[in-house]
Amino acid sequence: MTVIQSENTQQQTDTQGVALFEPLTLRDITFRNRIAVAAMCQYSATDGFANDWHLVHLGSFAVGGAALVMTEATAVEARGRISPEDLGIYKDEHIEMLSRIVTFIKAQGAVPAVQLAHAGRKASTYSPFSGGNGELSKADGRWQTVGPSAVRFSEQYPLPHALTREEIAEIVRSFQIGAERALKAGFEVLELHGAHGYLLHEFISPISNKRTDEYGGSLENRMRFLIEVTDAVRQVMPAELPLLVRLSATDWTEGGVTEAETVEISRVLAQHGVDLVDVSTGGNVASAKIPLQPGYQVSFADAVHNEAQVPSGAVGLITEAAQANQILQEGKADMIFLARELLRDPHFPLRAARELHYDIAWPKQYARAKI
Ligand SMILES: Cc1cc2nc3c(=O)[nH]c(=O)nc-3n(C[C@H](O)[C@H](O)[C@H](O)COP(=O)(O)O)c2cc1C
């Protein structure tokens, strides 16, 4: 059993039988259990800078016992922000506060992760609580968005500029520089945001990618940009640290990304040094009908795990300890990513352990109160 050296080592005391609390090792990083915090935008940054909100928000999940604590989508270029309030990693000055957050997360025995992102054609919009809706006005600082092709996401969204080959190469480099900054900040896991209709997904999906050059058409061409980013990022990462990619396994729309394509992309990603695919869906078609129900995306994580034979993360309407445990027990995924349930209860892992009759240590500050 790996002992994580930290101020609040939540070392498990029983390794029998509860899949959710079995450690997982990817490269040289051991996660204390299988519970990961899924990326969640907070729309609370100024010019990309993290602040006390991000420290407390992300820190609370580390205190609550999660194994992996992921930042929200963190833009590698200023124009890659969904809104002006998104977190960024496009300046060296961003590193300092991120490093403070990382230090706190590590001190609780959790692994800090950053989701590197570029919003592509879904950038330059109002954040949910800014008062506006859809595309930013000129007065509010609208910027030119970019995408594989000049195709809007929807009427409320700006028309993107179709990237030239040279501009694609510059964005690959921005991901690489973002990765270098993330490593300087101390992050131990990097995730590329290849889902939800943002730039990397926009290239993969035939719905948003109408290119006729080597970045469009065949699946091999549509995933080329993602693979170039993967290679550029992996190149600057130490071999000991894991790289994750989040994919949208389906566009839930005829003519969009399919499960079979996702299995193939996952295989190729693994060959390029990706250690786990975090399997989400949707986000690239405004009108898509998504069959929301508990665990509605788990079958796609299952396909990546069992057909591609690549470690996978399951996410989406997983809200119960027994449900999360069962997904792992049935061999459908390797990690469980939670978003909204962790907002309801940042201490979900402590509660889940109790419900599953599994003993984990609480933070020393809480230990006397443990029941
Ligand atoms: C407030 C909020 C912000 C989100 N921001 C991101 C994000 O930055 N990156 C991302 O990949 N997914 C994002 N998501 C999607 C979640 O990571 C997750 O995939 C989704 O909420 C489904 O999981 P859940 O049912 O456990 O909430 C966000 C979800 C929520 C609720």
Side-chain angles (χ1 to χ4, degrees):
M1 184 162 50
T2 303
V3 177
I4 301 162
Q5 294 300 328
S6 70
E7 184 192 326
N8 280 322
T9 299
Q10 292 173 14
Q11 192 182 334
Q12 55 191 56
T13 53
D14 173 8
T15 55
Q16 294 305 307
V18 179
L20 192 58
F21 288 96
E22 262 172 40
L24 172 72
T25 300
L26 297 176
R27 295 187 185 247
D28 284 2
I29 297 296
T30 297
F31 301 93
R32 59 186 167 186
N33 58 51
R34 303 301 179 102
I35 303 170
V37 180
M40 280 181 276
C41 286
Q42 298 298 295
Y43 306 106
S44 299
T46 305
D47 188 18
F49 284 88
N51 55 47
D52 285 356
W53 174 262
H54 304 91
L55 172 66
V56 174
H57 163 72
L58 294 168
S60 68
F61 305 126
V63 170
L68 178 156
V69 178
M70 178 86 65
T71 68
E72 67 194 79
T74 304
V76 297
E77 293 188 337
R79 67 176 171 178
R81 291 171 298 166
I82 304 166
S83 78
E85 291 80 25
D86 284 22
L87 211 53
I89 196 153
Y90 49 84
K91 291 181 178 180
D92 288 342
E93 292 75 17
H94 289 143
I95 295 171
E96 187 180 346
M97 187 60 191
L98 291 173
S99 165
R100 189 172 160 215
I101 295 169
V102 159
T103 301
F104 183 82
I105 291 170
K106 283 185 186 165
Q108 314 313 313
V111 177
V114 60
Q115 187 183 54
L116 298 175
H118 194 303
R121 66 175 184 164
K122 285 171 72 175
S124 190
T125 61
Y126 286 100
S127 57
F129 48 90
S130 62
N133 192 17
E135 181 179 3
L136 285 175
S137 70
K138 213 168 175 188
D140 285 333
R142 169 201 307 163
W143 63 87
Q144 175 63 57
T145 61
V146 298
S149 307
V151 180
R152 278 179 211 277
F153 173 65
S154 77
E155 282 310 305
Q156 284 75 49
Y157 279 73
L159 184 70
H161 158 69
L163 289 163
T164 64
R165 286 195 183 91
E166 293 70 30
E167 289 166 341
I168 290 172
E170 282 163 20
I171 297 179
V172 171
R173 180 75 183 125
S174 296
F175 270 97
Q176 188 177 50
I177 296 169
E180 285 173 330
R181 291 195 182 107
L183 294 167
K184 275 193 195 136
F187 286 103
E188 293 178 319
V189 171
L190 309 189
E191 177 173 274
L192 303 177
H193 195 350
H196 302 168
Y198 298 115
L199 190 60
L200 293 166
H201 181 188
E202 289 162 21
F203 271 79
I204 297 168
S205 173
I207 288 170
S208 39
N209 183 345
K210 306 291 181 194
R211 298 178 76 97
T212 53
D213 63 3
E214 69 271 30
Y215 290 96
S218 66
L219 179 62
E220 188 187 356
N221 283 356
R222 285 182 279 119
M223 73 164 101
R224 189 178 306 281
F225 177 44
L226 171 64
I227 299 301
E228 287 178 355
V229 171
T230 300
D231 287 344
V233 167
R234 190 74 258 181
Q235 200 193 331
V236 296
M237 285 181 75
E240 305 85 71
L241 299 185
L243 176 61
L244 279 45
V245 173
R246 177 166 260 203
L247 292 177
S248 279
T250 171
D251 285 326
W252 300 110
T253 303
E254 194 71 33
V257 173
T258 64
E259 180 181 299
E261 287 186 335
T262 301
V263 167
E264 180 54 23
I265 297 167
S266 301
R267 273 198 200 108
V268 177
L269 285 173
Q271 288 161 5
H272 286 258
V274 169
D275 302 289
L276 181 142
V277 176
D278 169 6
V279 190
S280 189
T281 69
N284 201 31
V285 180
S287 59
K289 300 263 179 298
I290 302 181
L292 292 174
Q293 55 169 320
Y296 70 106
Q297 298 176 143
V298 173
S299 64
F300 301 101
D302 188 359
V304 169
H305 178 95
N306 288 303
E307 287 177 44
Q309 306 240 312
V310 173
S312 73
V315 66
L317 288 177
I318 301 169
T319 55
E320 307 281 343
Q323 177 195 13
N325 196 49
Q326 195 179 349
I327 293 164
L328 297 167
Q329 256 173 358
E330 290 176 351
K332 293 178 172 167
D334 301 85
M335 196 104 193
I336 302 294
F337 286 74
L338 301 175
R340 288 164 291 184
E341 189 57 24
L342 282 170
L343 296 184
R344 274 180 218 109
D345 180 5
H347 302 115
F348 172 86
L350 305 185
R351 178 159 55 82
R354 193 167 68 142
E355 285 176 17
L356 297 172
H357 309 291
Y358 190 82
D359 190 21
I360 58 169
W362 282 18
K364 67 182 180 194
Q365 292 86 346
Y366 296 175
R368 275 188 65 209
K370 188 176 171 192
I371 45 164

